[in-house]
Amino acid sequence: MPSVVKINVLTVPEEQRAELEKRFAARAGAVEGSDGFEWFELLRPVEGTDTYLVYTRWRSEEDFEKWRSNMGASHGSGGGGGAQKPAASGATLWSFEVVQSAGPKEG
């Protein structure tokens, strides 16, 4: 069974970028211990867009859905107490299956 990739596409106004990154930093480690979790990356736009990409890779769709139902409910809290204004003005979730993968050669 191939791994699955979930990419959360976040529209983040320039004035909210630092806040978004701070909130993700505060959550460091929150997903890494989840069953089936394989990888996470927060990708900051370099030029020409206000779109951040949140990349996660999972062993299976079931593992992702299990994490989402258990931990996903607290995802928007930013790790602090009380409600916070969202840092992103829009979000879309893209889903993919890993068909091919490569890493650096060990030698």
Side-chain angles (χ1 to χ4, degrees):
M1 176 183 302
S3 295
V4 295
V5 169
K6 301 294 180 175
I7 300 174
N8 199 359
V9 183
L10 304 176
T11 303
V12 182
E14 189 170 346
E15 64 274 9
Q16 288 294 103
R17 288 181 175 189
E19 180 64 22
L20 178 88
E21 293 178 21
K22 180 177 123 185
R23 290 181 190 182
F24 270 94
R27 294 184 49 79
V31 70
E32 285 89 331
S34 299
D35 191 39
F37 169 80
E38 295 179 351
W39 200 260
F40 162 85
E41 291 179 314
L42 175 61
L43 306 176
R44 175 193 302 137
V46 176
E47 58 185 30
T49 184
D50 58 357
T51 303
Y52 274 74
L53 300 179
V54 182
Y55 173 99
T56 57
R57 190 173 69 212
W58 299 85
R59 178 179 53 207
S60 69
E61 181 70 26
E62 294 75 24
D63 289 322
F64 170 74
E65 290 299 334
K66 185 174 155 185
W67 169 80
R68 188 172 170 172
S69 64
N70 292 338
M71 297 297 288
S74 65
H75 188 73
S77 69
Q84 293 180 315
K85 177 184 171 194
S89 62
T92 302
L93 183 65
W94 294 345
S95 299
F96 300 88
E97 286 185 345
V98 176
V99 179
Q100 294 184 21
S101 183
K105 293 182 180 179
E106 295 184 24

